[in-house]
Amino acid sequence: MQVRRDALRVLPAPGGRRTGAHLATLVVALLVVLESDWRTGAMDPWPMVAWGRRMSMPWRRVRRAVGELAALGHVELSCARFRPSSIEIDRSRWIHCRDRRTERFVQLSPQAAREVALEHELDWKALGVLLALVILADDRDWSVRGVTLGGLSADLGIGYRSLKAALDRLATAGLLSFLARPGRSCLVTVTVGSALVVGPAGPPMRRGDRRRLGRQTRRQEGPVWDAAHRIVDRFGIGLPPSSGFIQAMEEAGTRLDVIDVEHRILAMGSLAQARDPMAVLTGRARRISEDMDRRRQEDSRRRARQEQERTVDAERRAQGQNEWERQMGEDRWLARVLDDEQIRAFLEDHRQFASAVTPMPAVAAAIRVAARRAVVAHPMEDPEIAVRSMRIDDGVPVGGAYADADHDGPDVLLPTIRDGPTLTQRLRALAS
């Protein structure tokens, strides 16, 4: 999900007491953006109470945050008795649009953010501070520069002590490191940033390379085996890697470079609170494989959608070109069939419209509609005879109720020719 770098400034600046209401509103908005349908921005059903309980946010605070977003016009909430709610958010204010080429964004993985929050049991305050720092951080080294703790607490609408407690909680979980310097900007490095972003999918590994990687792993050698042992040693587990962890690492290594897999696993935080550290590592490796598979599917759907859009656009342009050529052919045929007296009569009838406001092509379109009606009214006659015998009142007004006179005419085609002046040229010559 390509979250805009200025997403923290979408909401009005917090004022008054720093009760955490602004941060709660920001957390609810960001999580709804990340978890909603990427096409419509809707979540239906949306179990509001259970959704808030998942991140230790009281129901009243969730409801107050949604009410604030609804008052600002960011979301539409639908509640009914005895059924889950539904919510729809205006994604254009939070998500990057490819038409805005200079807009900066960070591509977050909703699944990774959800799993990291569940694994480390982050409450809504710690999760909100983490998401805010990920958005503010420079994704080249995941450092947040030029930010003081006092300024950050003011921007998030949270008390200094609450902010410090959330940062300590995140640092204990190994998700970031920070150094507060009184009177100066603090040094913050969001180590989990590289694990929360959607990495490049890249081409899938070829079958021969995949088999070679599997043979090396079964012989207890190769990049997967070495990376698994480095990860276990890094966390100080004191046990050799389990077969499930090795298999999950091998699966992830077929979708992403093994070194990148290792860095992402290490970036997901410490294992201090894990009851089964090896199971946690196995789950992290499997999530990396799932993220890569999901990214490839999204890329495939995006390419198919872009190809379909290009095909539809090409067909639309071809249809428009054919329609333009047909109208030019009809105009040339009418310019040859109609004499000067008939054209002057139409100009006289439309003299209040044939001005600088209504151009001559609109008058030509009105004559073309009149010619079609004359052909429909005399189906047994030759079109040339029917057009020459049509009356002035067979025409339609130009402008006003008929912005495009061609759409008001009957579905009938007039004869066309390729050479000669068009009806618009005849009209301009006679009008001058």
Side-chain angles (χ1 to χ4, degrees):
M1 199 69 65
Q2 297 176 346
V3 181
R4 293 167 52 174
R5 291 287 188 180
D6 59 350
L8 301 183
R9 295 194 294 270
V10 173
L11 301 178
R17 295 182 57 192
R18 300 175 185 176
T19 60
H22 180 80
L23 180 61
T25 305
L26 181 64
V27 170
V28 170
L30 289 176
L31 291 183
V32 171
V33 167
L34 291 176
E35 298 179 7
S36 61
D37 184 83
W38 63 273
R39 291 178 295 266
T40 62
M43 294 176 64
D44 188 12
W46 184 51
M48 185 188 304
V49 177
W51 188 82
R53 187 182 298 119
R54 189 185 69 193
M55 53 185 175
S56 304
M57 181 180 288
W59 177 82
R60 294 183 182 276
R61 189 175 284 275
V62 178
R63 190 65 180 88
R64 191 182 304 116
V66 175
E68 180 67 21
L69 291 172
L72 295 172
H74 293 331
V75 302
E76 293 184 3
L77 180 66
S78 175
C79 296
R81 299 184 63 181
F82 308 115
R83 69 174 300 272
S85 307
S86 63
I87 191 170
E88 181 177 352
I89 192 165
D90 183 6
R91 295 166 54 86
S92 62
R93 307 190 186 189
W94 307 87
I95 300 299
H96 167 68
C97 178
R98 62 182 180 181
D99 295 336
R100 300 189 290 263
R101 298 181 181 273
T102 60
E103 190 173 74
R104 299 177 64 245
F105 62 90
V106 57
Q107 191 157 349
L108 293 177
S109 170
Q111 293 75 20
R114 186 185 307 114
E115 294 295 339
V116 167
L118 291 176
E119 179 181 327
H120 296 281
E121 299 179 355
L122 300 180
D123 61 359
W124 66 272
K125 289 184 179 179
L127 181 58
V129 172
L130 178 62
L131 292 178
L133 291 176
V134 170
I135 293 174
L136 293 174
D138 188 345
D139 53 8
R140 292 172 294 185
D141 56 1
W142 294 108
S143 297
V144 182
R145 299 178 176 85
V147 174
T148 62
L149 293 184
L152 187 59
S153 64
D155 292 339
L156 298 180
I158 188 174
Y160 182 88
R161 292 182 179 179
S162 297
L163 175 63
K164 186 67 166 51
L167 291 174
D168 289 336
R169 174 72 180 87
L170 295 172
T172 303
L175 302 179
L176 59 79
S177 61
F178 77 100
L179 176 62
R181 300 182 297 180
R184 301 170 60 188
S185 61
C186 57
L187 302 177
V188 181
T189 302
V190 188
T191 54
V192 76
S194 58
L196 294 183
V197 299
V198 178
M205 182 177 286
R206 293 181 298 181
R207 182 180 300 178
D209 297 336
R210 191 164 57 247
R211 289 178 177 176
R212 186 182 308 108
L213 186 66
R215 288 195 298 267
Q216 291 176 344
T217 305
R218 286 189 294 271
R219 292 197 302 264
Q220 298 185 358
E221 61 182 25
V224 172
W225 186 265
D226 296 338
H229 278 79
R230 285 196 300 269
I231 293 173
V232 170
D233 294 340
R234 170 66 176 77
F235 287 112
I237 297 178
L239 295 174
S242 65
S243 59
F245 179 48
I246 294 292
Q247 183 179 1
M249 284 285 295
E250 181 183 343
E251 288 294 327
T254 60
R255 296 162 172 81
L256 190 66
D257 188 79
V258 178
I259 300 299
D260 293 334
V261 174
E262 178 182 357
H263 290 166
R264 287 173 68 89
I265 290 177
L266 294 176
M268 291 181 186
S270 66
L271 303 176
Q273 297 181 346
R275 297 180 180 179
D276 189 348
M278 200 65 67
V280 174
L281 292 178
T282 304
R284 291 181 180 181
R286 288 174 179 170
R287 289 202 302 269
I288 293 175
S289 300
E290 294 172 358
D291 282 346
M292 291 300 103
D293 292 341
R294 192 179 298 109
R295 178 63 187 276
R296 286 199 178 94
Q297 293 175 1
E298 292 175 356
D299 290 345
S300 178
R301 287 195 294 266
R302 187 182 67 255
R303 287 192 296 267
R305 186 170 63 252
Q306 291 175 351
E307 182 64 27
Q308 183 180 6
E309 291 175 355
R310 284 194 294 267
T311 302
V312 172
D313 188 52
E315 292 177 353
R316 188 183 299 112
R317 287 198 302 268
Q319 183 178 1
Q321 180 67 21
N322 294 335
E323 178 68 16
W324 180 82
E325 292 178 355
R326 183 183 63 80
Q327 290 182 5
M328 290 299 100
E330 291 181 348
D331 274 9
R332 291 188 178 96
W333 181 79
L334 288 172
R336 190 189 67 180
V337 171
L338 297 176
D339 54 21
D340 292 347
E341 293 182 2
Q342 285 181 295
I343 296 178
R344 286 194 182 95
F346 271 101
L347 281 175
E348 181 66 21
D349 185 53
H350 294 72
R351 62 184 180 274
Q352 67 270 31
F353 300 104
S355 61
V357 178
T358 302
M360 289 301 174
V363 181
I367 299 175
R368 192 159 53 243
V369 172
R372 292 175 183 173
R373 289 179 175 176
V375 171
V376 171
H378 305 84
M380 304 304 295
E381 294 184 3
D382 183 82
E384 185 172 339
I385 298 176
V387 168
R388 286 177 175 172
S389 61
M390 68 179 179
R391 302 186 306 273
I392 297 177
D393 55 5
D394 290 332
V396 296
V398 181
Y402 299 100
D404 189 353
D406 271 329
H407 291 176
D408 186 61
D411 188 12
V412 63
L413 300 180
L414 298 176
T416 61
I417 58 175
R418 291 192 174 186
D419 300 325
T422 63
L423 184 58
T424 303
Q425 294 172 347
R426 290 279 308 274
L427 287 166
R428 287 171 177 168
L430 293 176
S432 59

